[in-house]
Amino acid sequence: MCFSSVLSVVLYLATPSTQKIRNAMTAGLLGIILTPETGNRTIAGVPWCADNGCYTLGDTFNPDKYKRFLDRQPTDDVLFATAPDVVGDAKATLERSESWYKELSDRGYTPALVAQDGVEDLMDQVPWDQIGAWFVGGTTEWKESGTAAECTAEAQRRGLHTHMGRVNSLRRLRIAAASSYDTVDGNYLVFGPDKNLPKLLGWMRSVNSQMTLGFGCAP
């Protein structure tokens, strides 16, 4: 897959697990992503998002626990909160998310639909008037596809905040930047957080300091 595009500034959302990471967040270099399982907290003035954790929890996702988690968080700096999804299945995700948009809005969150494989065939069923963010999940192959980029472009035309999940390499960060995503997240800092932090910040400088860049074909 080849890219040649104008890049936009993209913000990386991570878990605030160490003091060095929290310092980078306070300095405006990173944002925050929280799930019911992380046990971390927001930082005043730092943009953050709430993720349901369905990707890792699977069938053990507890909707009541997610609601309690959302109710505990301050919403002043929140970007969005994801409605529950089904990994790799757009139809099942649309059905599962349907009852959650009002739940999220009533709690002060911008509802995000997690886009999954096959959503390109269901774009007329997306509740555009009930969501404010487009979170690209799905399988790796679909996430990096031109199809996913086209769906994201439609969400951008409609004024939605766009986000790509599971961005754990410079290559994928460049893919996200080439499609003008607003934010991304990943678990790159989960293992060896302080060691990997300088590498991640270097990726961000590399991407965000260049207005144009031609990408090689992904291996």
Side-chain angles (χ1 to χ4, degrees):
M1 192 173 186
C2 301
F3 296 86
S4 182
S5 178
V6 174
L7 298 186
S8 64
V9 173
V10 60
L11 179 66
Y12 197 101
L13 310 184
T15 302
S17 56
T18 72
Q19 188 60 53
K20 288 183 179 179
I21 293 174
R22 290 191 288 273
N23 290 344
M25 292 169 169
T26 303
L29 302 176
L30 298 172
I32 297 172
I33 182 168
L34 298 181
T35 75
E37 309 302 315
T38 58
N40 297 107
R41 297 183 178 181
T42 61
I43 300 172
V46 178
W48 71 282
C49 80
D51 185 28
N52 57 59
C54 286
Y55 179 76
T56 53
L57 293 172
D59 293 337
T60 65
F61 170 75
N62 185 323
D64 290 331
K65 183 176 182 179
Y66 187 40
K67 291 176 186 178
R68 291 194 297 271
F69 159 78
L70 293 171
D71 289 340
R72 291 195 302 270
Q73 310 307 320
T75 58
D76 294 344
D77 304 304
V78 71
L79 299 169
F80 59 83
T82 58
D85 56 299
V86 180
V87 179
D89 190 330
K91 185 176 186 299
T93 292
L94 287 169
E95 293 171 353
R96 187 177 197 180
S97 296
E98 185 176 10
S99 65
W100 276 85
Y101 305 125
K102 188 175 187 302
E103 291 273 5
L104 297 173
S105 295
D106 287 350
R107 287 173 164 79
Y109 293 90
T110 296
L113 172 67
V114 183
Q116 301 285 352
D117 303 46
V119 75
E120 63 271 16
D121 298 322
L122 303 169
M123 295 293 276
D124 60 336
Q125 298 180 36
V126 173
W128 298 107
D129 60 337
Q130 298 181 63
I131 62 175
W134 181 263
F135 185 120
V136 172
T139 63
T140 296
E141 182 179 8
W142 185 80
K143 182 194 302 288
E144 295 185 354
S145 69
T147 300
E150 290 171 3
C151 293
T152 297
E154 176 60 25
Q156 291 165 341
R157 282 192 290 270
R158 292 173 178 268
L160 272 64
H161 180 105
T162 55
H163 177 93
M164 180 185 282
R166 303 201 314 277
V167 175
N168 295 306
S169 68
L170 176 57
R171 186 182 70 86
R172 189 169 294 176
L173 181 60
R174 285 174 170 169
I175 290 172
S179 290
S180 299
Y181 282 85
D182 297 298
T183 53
V184 300
D185 78 82
N187 62 3
Y188 186 71
L189 297 181
V190 171
F191 304 101
D194 290 343
K195 178 181 178 181
N196 287 333
L197 177 61
K199 296 179 182 178
L200 177 58
L201 295 179
W203 295 352
M204 299 303 298
R205 287 193 297 270
S206 173
V207 167
N208 288 330
S209 66
Q210 299 176 66
M211 295 304 293
T212 60
L213 183 65
F215 296 97
C217 294

